[in-house]
Amino acid sequence: MPRVSIRILKKEAKELEKAEHEEKLEKFEEEAIEAIREVKKRRTLLRTKKEKKVFREIVKEYKPEIHGSLIEFTPPSGWKVVEEYWIEEHFCKVFILFSEEEQDYRYVVVEPRLSPYETEVYAQTYLLIREELEKITASDGVDKETILKDVYAKVLNEIGIDLDEKGYAKIFYYLQRDLIAYGKITPLMKDKMLEDISCNGYRKPIYVFHRSYTNLRTNVTFESEEELDSFVINLAQKCGKHLSIAEPMVDAT
């Protein structure tokens, strides 16, 4: 009988030792997995910091006192400037013109002029950035402009495009205007002096109702039917509306 008891105790001891060994192995595995996770986390943080550092390095700050004006405008013959004001300082300005001969006023939007190279860069970056923005959801506390700046820097870095300060600022202005705001009519939408904007079709000037000068013809025009259709669809989407053949009209007020 005692021998049997001893065998049982030995068996229990072995089982206990085995259980303790397995427990140690499990604990070791958990610690190893946690260590691997920590290493991956640190690598991710390091990579993110490096990427952000690269983005900051290629961001170029435009300073008008150093780099010169982005706006150039000379009124047409027979027209004179009676008023001018900024819609977005350094980037977009409105000129109210008057013609003695025609006894008429005009509303002229002036934005930065892109060089052929800058126009090509804009076209390339616009498509890439639009795809990137579609993958990103703006988080709380982060506005769309901040997200656009980061994506803009990232895309320029990836495709290896170098721009001077003026070119960098001009292209970002148009990306912000066309991807975040209202495209061509953004200056009109931002002008607090306007009460109404009317578009009667493509290749026709847009008209506005100005608080000081009433009805004015502008220099803003949609050049093609496709451009106008695309604008209308995008505007409806921004307002959370849907356009279709069955419902061709939308109230976006």
Side-chain angles (χ1 to χ4, degrees):
M1 291 295 294
R3 187 178 295 177
V4 174
S5 297
I6 292 171
R7 285 178 181 174
I8 292 173
L9 289 172
K10 284 183 177 179
K11 184 178 180 182
E12 289 177 349
K14 286 182 179 180
E15 289 178 351
L16 181 61
E17 184 179 351
K18 183 180 179 182
E20 289 177 350
H21 180 67
E22 289 177 351
E23 186 179 349
K24 287 180 180 179
L25 282 176
E26 288 178 0
K27 187 176 180 181
F28 177 77
E29 288 176 356
E30 289 176 358
E31 290 176 351
I33 292 171
E34 186 62 30
I36 292 171
R37 286 176 180 169
E38 186 64 26
V39 170
K40 287 183 177 179
K41 184 178 179 181
R42 289 181 180 179
R43 285 179 178 175
T44 301
L45 288 172
L46 182 61
R47 184 169 59 251
T48 302
K49 287 180 180 179
K50 287 181 178 179
E51 288 175 352
K52 287 183 177 179
K53 183 179 179 181
V54 171
F55 296 163
R56 284 197 296 269
E57 285 175 352
I58 68 169
V59 172
K60 298 179 179 180
E61 184 180 358
Y62 162 71
K63 296 181 179 180
E65 65 276 11
I66 298 175
H67 306 115
S69 176
L70 299 176
I71 298 296
E72 297 178 1
F73 176 70
T74 302
S77 177
W79 294 82
K80 65 178 181 179
V81 177
V82 294
E83 187 177 352
E84 59 184 86
Y85 52 89
W86 289 105
I87 298 297
E88 184 173 342
E89 192 171 5
H90 307 310
F91 293 95
C92 181
K93 199 171 193 179
V94 165
F95 293 85
I96 306 296
L97 307 183
F98 179 73
S99 170
E100 290 283 355
E101 182 179 349
E102 298 188 23
Q103 287 295 299
D104 195 15
Y105 290 92
R106 292 287 170 84
Y107 181 101
V108 178
V109 176
V110 179
E111 297 172 293
R113 182 174 296 179
L114 297 178
S115 68
Y117 173 69
E118 291 165 348
T119 301
E120 184 179 346
V121 172
Y122 167 80
Q124 292 179 11
T125 54
Y126 175 87
L127 295 175
L128 293 171
I129 291 173
R130 186 176 65 179
E131 291 177 0
E132 287 291 325
L133 290 178
E134 288 174 354
K135 303 174 187 176
I136 298 173
T137 302
S139 57
D140 293 338
V142 181
D143 62 298
K144 292 181 180 179
E145 183 178 343
T146 301
I147 294 174
L148 179 59
K149 283 181 180 178
D150 290 341
V151 176
Y152 180 41
K154 177 184 176 183
V155 168
L156 288 180
N157 181 63
E158 288 177 348
I159 60 182
I161 289 179
D162 187 31
L163 295 164
D164 61 16
E165 287 78 6
K166 291 179 74 172
Y168 190 94
K170 287 191 289 183
I171 292 174
F172 181 76
Y173 166 78
Y174 282 107
L175 290 171
Q176 185 180 13
R177 187 197 76 171
D178 297 339
L179 288 171
I180 296 179
Y182 303 96
K184 278 188 173 182
I185 70 164
T186 299
L188 311 182
M189 295 289 285
K190 288 184 175 182
D191 190 345
K192 296 179 181 179
M193 294 300 293
L194 301 185
E195 295 184 1
D196 187 64
I197 303 169
S198 301
C199 177
N200 295 318
Y202 66 96
R203 294 181 186 171
K204 295 180 180 180
I206 292 176
Y207 281 79
V208 295
F209 187 88
H210 196 282
R211 292 180 181 178
S212 300
Y213 303 96
T214 64
N215 290 306
L216 296 176
R217 174 179 172 174
T218 76
N219 63 328
V220 182
T221 306
F222 291 101
E223 300 300 332
S224 67
E225 186 175 2
E226 292 75 16
E227 183 185 14
L228 179 56
D229 288 346
S230 177
F231 163 77
V232 172
I233 292 170
N234 288 334
L235 184 61
Q237 290 175 346
K238 287 180 185 294
C239 298
K241 304 291 184 176
H242 175 70
L243 277 173
S244 65
I245 296 175
E247 297 180 2
M249 297 183 68
V250 166
D251 181 4
T253 55

